[in-house]
Amino acid sequence: MRDSVFVYSPSYQTYQFHQDHPFNQQRVLLTYDLLQAADAFDDGDIVTPRTATKEELALVHTEDYIQAVELAGAGRLPAAEGESYGLGTEDTPVFAGMHEAASLLVGGTLTAADYVMTGQARHACNLGGGLHHGFRGRASGFCIYNDSAVAIQYIQKNYGAKVLYIDTDAHHGDGVQFTFYDRSDVCTVSFHETGRYLFPGTGQVLEKGSGQGYGYSFNIPLDAFTEDDSFLHAYKTAASEIAAFFKPDVILTQNGADAHYYDPLTHLSNT
Ligand SMILES: [Zn+2]
């Protein structure tokens, strides 16, 4: 078994809202180039993502939303209708081919899931993924389809495995949390800058799940200017205690790097 695989395609660059948009897939290309330059890859470490099918997207997303994304990407969705799906906003503008581009990012995370679940690799990384603000029927915060949520459903359906989701992005992992909010067979944990001033505003300690899912959503909001030692202390303590409690078969993580102190949109101070 390989220790790790890196899911990557130059086609990830097709997920581009517009030139000046802050969510820029150049970061994936730059990371790939840096890892190449550092000689971090062995032969066979880089794997090509597949595109998620509509049936796979529908494991989380509603049929009407998927259709709206397709129409928007083809320039055939009226603006007013788009807005009811969170499409065509300042954060998540419409762009040509958005359905195909977003399906590829989801497919990358499914490719990563397959590598781990079939025992071909111990770890798999898809830096094109992490679109944790996508909701069942609505785009939000740069995210169209929620690759993590789809992958969690996919892993359950195809491999019958129990998934623990851990999110260290500076923003609350709202789309994933609320997809599984009433379920006890998926556990979500999010470490993020407090929502008092930062998008999306949710992720408070008391958001613990509902109904059967009560006690299976964990939130660790951190104050602005939280630095490495405090962040790591919170992470190690909570992640190990929650893993011991939930006993997952597999862990899916979203590790958005915007908790870095240079990030222009957030206020954490990690290095
Ligand atoms: Zn973020």
Side-chain angles (χ1 to χ4, degrees), residues 27-51:
R27 75 191 191 289
V28 183
L29 176 62
L30 292 170
T31 309
Y32 174 79
D33 285 348
L34 188 65
L35 289 169
Q36 285 282 20
D39 218 6
F41 298 125
D42 286 328
D43 281 349
D45 281 354
I46 300 165
V47 298
T48 304
R50 64 181 179 83
T51 292

Side-chain angles (χ1 to χ4, degrees), residues 190-209:
S190 182
F191 301 85
H192 47 266
E193 179 181 334
T194 167
R196 275 202 303 276
Y197 312 108
L198 188 70
F199 178 89
T202 49
Q204 297 174 39
V205 175
L206 291 175
E207 289 168 32
K208 296 182 180 179

Side-chain angles (χ1 to χ4, degrees), residues 130 132-133 141-142 167 169-172 198-199 254 256-259 263 265-266:
H132 61 170
H133 300 306
F142 318 161
D167 186 320
D169 189 283
H171 301 94
H172 177 229
L198 188 70
F199 178 89
Q254 197 278 25
D258 50 4
D263 191 279
L265 301 180
T266 63

Side-chain angles (χ1 to χ4, degrees), residues 117 152 155-163 185 249-250:
M117 298 312 297
I152 291 168
I155 290 169
Q156 271 208 333
K157 179 169 169 261
N158 291 289
Y159 300 103
K162 229 173 131 181
V163 186
D185 54 350
D249 298 312
V250 64

Side-chain angles (χ1 to χ4, degrees), residues 217-229:
S217 285
F218 293 88
N219 284 290
I220 296 90
L222 303 162
D223 267 319
F225 309 115
T226 295
E227 75 332 308
D228 290 351
D229 287 351

